[in-house]
Amino acid sequence: MFDITSQAAAETAAIHIKGLDGAFLYSDGKPVRIVIYGPGSAAFAEVEDRQINRTVKRSAENDGKLTVAPADQRAAEVAEDLASLTVAFENLTYPPASGKQGKELFRALYADKKLGFIAQQIQKALKDWGNFTPDSTSSSPS
């Protein structure tokens, strides 16, 4: 019999970040990575709940009609959600948020429109369960 638990997703994954040109980024020969909670984690479930609650609230406020939040609000919500799913930055600094750490630092980077390609990479990585194989925190998934 096959033990299906051998396929259980890891809690986190280290995502190797690409630059604007699509090439993987390195700092002193080390991969620039962002460690994130995956779709099988409690942190991910909390973010999903928050997203659903926002949608329901917006609908209730608009007589049951589905509405889209303004662009600035959506961007802030995405930055907040991604910050909640981020565990750590590896081999990267974000000088505009000097002195900030943890969620504050993560939110600042994700909210930076000029670095929006990073948030897009993380959003894409979150949708791919294959990034969360048991050894994914020590490897460099793309």
Side-chain angles (χ1 to χ4, degrees):
M1 281 283 186
F2 183 76
D3 178 2
I4 196 65
T5 62
S6 67
Q7 297 297 301
E11 184 86 358
T12 62
I15 306 303
H16 195 163
I17 301 301
K18 295 178 183 178
L20 284 171
D21 62 359
F24 286 110
L25 298 176
Y26 292 89
S27 176
D28 297 324
K30 298 175 186 171
V32 173
R33 304 189 309 178
I34 297 178
V35 180
I36 55 174
Y37 287 109
S41 69
F44 191 91
E46 287 176 25
V47 168
E48 278 188 322
D49 284 346
R50 192 166 59 223
Q51 291 170 339
I52 291 167
N53 288 332
R54 283 193 299 247
T55 301
V56 169
K57 183 179 177 193
R58 272 195 283 275
S59 177
E61 290 171 349
N62 291 288
D63 298 322
K65 297 176 187 166
L66 288 179
T67 59
V68 177
D72 286 346
Q73 182 180 344
R74 286 193 319 270
E77 290 170 353
V78 167
E80 180 67 25
D81 291 347
L82 292 179
S84 294
L85 294 173
T86 299
V87 177
F89 289 163
E90 294 181 351
N91 307 311
L92 75 94
T93 61
Y94 182 61
S98 180
K100 294 182 181 178
Q101 293 184 352
K103 193 172 175 180
E104 263 191 292
L105 169 63
F106 307 149
R107 186 184 314 107
L109 183 136
Y110 294 131
D112 187 331
K113 291 178 182 177
K114 292 182 180 179
L115 294 173
F117 64 95
I118 294 173
Q120 283 186 339
Q121 287 176 62
I122 298 303
Q123 287 175 307
K124 181 179 177 187
L126 285 164
K127 293 176 184 174
D128 184 353
W129 283 77
N131 286 322
F132 298 90
T133 58
D135 64 345
S136 59
T137 299
S138 59
S139 68
S140 296
S142 54

PDB file of all heavy atoms in Angstrom, residues 1-10 132-135:
ATOM      1  N   MET A   1       0.823  -1.189   0.000  1.00  0.00           N
ATOM      2  CA  MET A   1       0.000   0.000   0.000  1.00  0.00           C
ATOM      3  C   MET A   1       0.869   1.256   0.000  1.00  0.00           C
ATOM      4  O   MET A   1       1.885   1.304   0.660  1.00  0.00           O
ATOM      5  CB  MET A   1      -0.878   0.054   1.258  1.00  0.00           C
ATOM      6  CG  MET A   1      -2.082  -0.789   1.236  1.00  0.00           C
ATOM      7  SD  MET A   1      -3.291   0.024   0.220  1.00  0.00           S
ATOM      8  CE  MET A   1      -4.635  -1.032   0.478  1.00  0.00           C
ATOM      9  N   PHE A   2       0.400   2.252  -0.702  1.00  0.00           N
ATOM     10  CA  PHE A   2       1.107   3.535  -0.786  1.00  0.00           C
ATOM     11  C   PHE A   2       0.706   4.420   0.386  1.00  0.00           C
ATOM     12  O   PHE A   2      -0.480   4.660   0.615  1.00  0.00           O
ATOM     13  CB  PHE A   2       0.761   4.231  -2.104  1.00  0.00           C
ATOM     14  CG  PHE A   2       1.486   5.525  -2.310  1.00  0.00           C
ATOM     15  CD1 PHE A   2       2.820   5.541  -2.671  1.00  0.00           C
ATOM     16  CD2 PHE A   2       0.832   6.739  -2.124  1.00  0.00           C
ATOM     17  CE1 PHE A   2       3.496   6.733  -2.859  1.00  0.00           C
ATOM     18  CE2 PHE A   2       1.497   7.936  -2.306  1.00  0.00           C
ATOM     19  CZ  PHE A   2       2.831   7.928  -2.681  1.00  0.00           C
ATOM     20  N   ASP A   3       1.690   4.903   1.126  1.00  0.00           N
ATOM     21  CA  ASP A   3       1.434   5.815   2.244  1.00  0.00           C
ATOM     22  C   ASP A   3       1.268   7.224   1.672  1.00  0.00           C
ATOM     23  O   ASP A   3       2.241   7.901   1.368  1.00  0.00           O
ATOM     24  CB  ASP A   3       2.589   5.776   3.241  1.00  0.00           C
ATOM     25  CG  ASP A   3       2.404   6.734   4.399  1.00  0.00           C
ATOM     26  OD1 ASP A   3       1.355   7.420   4.471  1.00  0.00           O
ATOM     27  OD2 ASP A   3       3.319   6.815   5.238  1.00  0.00           O
ATOM     28  N   ILE A   4       0.032   7.668   1.538  1.00  0.00           N
ATOM     29  CA  ILE A   4      -0.267   8.960   0.927  1.00  0.00           C
ATOM     30  C   ILE A   4       0.308  10.121   1.729  1.00  0.00           C
ATOM     31  O   ILE A   4       0.563  11.191   1.178  1.00  0.00           O
ATOM     32  CB  ILE A   4      -1.793   9.127   0.694  1.00  0.00           C
ATOM     33  CG1 ILE A   4      -2.076  10.279  -0.285  1.00  0.00           C
ATOM     34  CG2 ILE A   4      -2.526   9.323   2.007  1.00  0.00           C
ATOM     35  CD1 ILE A   4      -1.569  10.060  -1.671  1.00  0.00           C
ATOM     36  N   THR A   5       0.557   9.917   3.015  1.00  0.00           N
ATOM     37  CA  THR A   5       1.121  11.011   3.814  1.00  0.00           C
ATOM     38  C   THR A   5       2.530  11.382   3.361  1.00  0.00           C
ATOM     39  O   THR A   5       3.023  12.455   3.692  1.00  0.00           O
ATOM     40  CB  THR A   5       1.130  10.674   5.319  1.00  0.00           C
ATOM     41  OG1 THR A   5       1.954   9.528   5.546  1.00  0.00           O
ATOM     42  CG2 THR A   5      -0.286  10.440   5.834  1.00  0.00           C
ATOM     43  N   SER A   6       3.156  10.506   2.560  1.00  0.00           N
ATOM     44  CA  SER A   6       4.476  10.845   2.018  1.00  0.00           C
ATOM     45  C   SER A   6       4.380  12.007   1.030  1.00  0.00           C
ATOM     46  O   SER A   6       5.392  12.613   0.670  1.00  0.00           O
ATOM     47  CB  SER A   6       5.109   9.628   1.331  1.00  0.00           C
ATOM     48  OG  SER A   6       4.371   9.292   0.158  1.00  0.00           O
ATOM     49  N   GLN A   7       3.159  12.333   0.619  1.00  0.00           N
ATOM     50  CA  GLN A   7       2.927  13.421  -0.332  1.00  0.00           C
ATOM     51  C   GLN A   7       2.478  14.713   0.357  1.00  0.00           C
ATOM     52  O   GLN A   7       2.140  15.691  -0.312  1.00  0.00           O
ATOM     53  CB  GLN A   7       1.870  13.009  -1.353  1.00  0.00           C
ATOM     54  CG  GLN A   7       2.289  11.834  -2.204  1.00  0.00           C
ATOM     55  CD  GLN A   7       3.505  12.163  -3.048  1.00  0.00           C
ATOM     56  OE1 GLN A   7       3.485  13.085  -3.850  1.00  0.00           O
ATOM     57  NE2 GLN A   7       4.588  11.428  -2.854  1.00  0.00           N
ATOM     58  N   ALA A   8       2.460  14.710   1.669  1.00  0.00           N
ATOM     59  CA  ALA A   8       2.000  15.888   2.410  1.00  0.00           C
ATOM     60  C   ALA A   8       2.882  17.098   2.110  1.00  0.00           C
ATOM     61  O   ALA A   8       4.109  17.002   2.048  1.00  0.00           O
ATOM     62  CB  ALA A   8       1.992  15.611   3.907  1.00  0.00           C
ATOM     63  N   ALA A   9       2.233  18.230   1.916  1.00  0.00           N
ATOM     64  CA  ALA A   9       2.953  19.467   1.600  1.00  0.00           C
ATOM     65  C   ALA A   9       3.690  19.990   2.825  1.00  0.00           C
ATOM     66  O   ALA A   9       3.218  19.862   3.956  1.00  0.00           O
ATOM     67  CB  ALA A   9       1.971  20.530   1.110  1.00  0.00           C
ATOM     68  N   ALA A  10       4.831  20.601   2.581  1.00  0.00           N
ATOM     69  CA  ALA A  10       5.588  21.259   3.641  1.00  0.00           C
ATOM     70  C   ALA A  10       4.862  22.536   4.067  1.00  0.00           C
ATOM     71  O   ALA A  10       4.109  23.123   3.285  1.00  0.00           O
ATOM     72  CB  ALA A  10       6.994  21.599   3.151  1.00  0.00           C
ATOM     73  N   PHE A 132       5.884  23.223  -2.505  1.00  0.00           N
ATOM     74  CA  PHE A 132       5.881  22.898  -1.089  1.00  0.00           C
ATOM     75  C   PHE A 132       6.152  21.419  -0.827  1.00  0.00           C
ATOM     76  O   PHE A 132       5.547  20.801   0.035  1.00  0.00           O
ATOM     77  CB  PHE A 132       4.548  23.362  -0.465  1.00  0.00           C
ATOM     78  CG  PHE A 132       4.377  24.841  -0.585  1.00  0.00           C
ATOM     79  CD1 PHE A 132       3.762  25.396  -1.696  1.00  0.00           C
ATOM     80  CD2 PHE A 132       4.888  25.694   0.380  1.00  0.00           C
ATOM     81  CE1 PHE A 132       3.643  26.766  -1.835  1.00  0.00           C
ATOM     82  CE2 PHE A 132       4.775  27.065   0.248  1.00  0.00           C
ATOM     83  CZ  PHE A 132       4.151  27.605  -0.863  1.00  0.00           C
ATOM     84  N   THR A 133       7.103  20.876  -1.590  1.00  0.00           N
ATOM     85  CA  THR A 133       7.541  19.509  -1.347  1.00  0.00           C
ATOM     86  C   THR A 133       8.285  19.482  -0.012  1.00  0.00           C
ATOM     87  O   THR A 133       8.741  20.532   0.470  1.00  0.00           O
ATOM     88  CB  THR A 133       8.449  19.014  -2.483  1.00  0.00           C
ATOM     89  OG1 THR A 133       9.567  19.896  -2.583  1.00  0.00           O
ATOM     90  CG2 THR A 133       7.699  18.953  -3.808  1.00  0.00           C
ATOM     91  N   PRO A 134       8.420  18.311   0.615  1.00  0.00           N
ATOM     92  CA  PRO A 134       9.040  18.252   1.943  1.00  0.00           C
ATOM     93  C   PRO A 134      10.409  18.924   2.068  1.00  0.00           C
ATOM     94  O   PRO A 134      10.746  19.420   3.119  1.00  0.00           O
ATOM     95  CB  PRO A 134       9.129  16.750   2.218  1.00  0.00           C
ATOM     96  CG  PRO A 134       7.946  16.200   1.485  1.00  0.00           C
ATOM     97  CD  PRO A 134       7.879  17.027   0.216  1.00  0.00           C
ATOM     98  N   ASP A 135      11.186  18.983   1.000  1.00  0.00           N
ATOM     99  CA  ASP A 135      12.512  19.607   1.075  1.00  0.00           C
ATOM    100  C   ASP A 135      12.525  21.031   0.515  1.00  0.00           C
ATOM    101  O   ASP A 135      13.564  21.601   0.252  1.00  0.00           O
ATOM    102  CB  ASP A 135      13.556  18.766   0.347  1.00  0.00           C
ATOM    103  CG  ASP A 135      13.285  18.656  -1.142  1.00  0.00           C
ATOM    104  OD1 ASP A 135      12.163  18.981  -1.574  1.00  0.00           O
ATOM    105  OD2 ASP A 135      14.201  18.228  -1.870  1.00  0.00           O
TER     106      ASP A 135
END
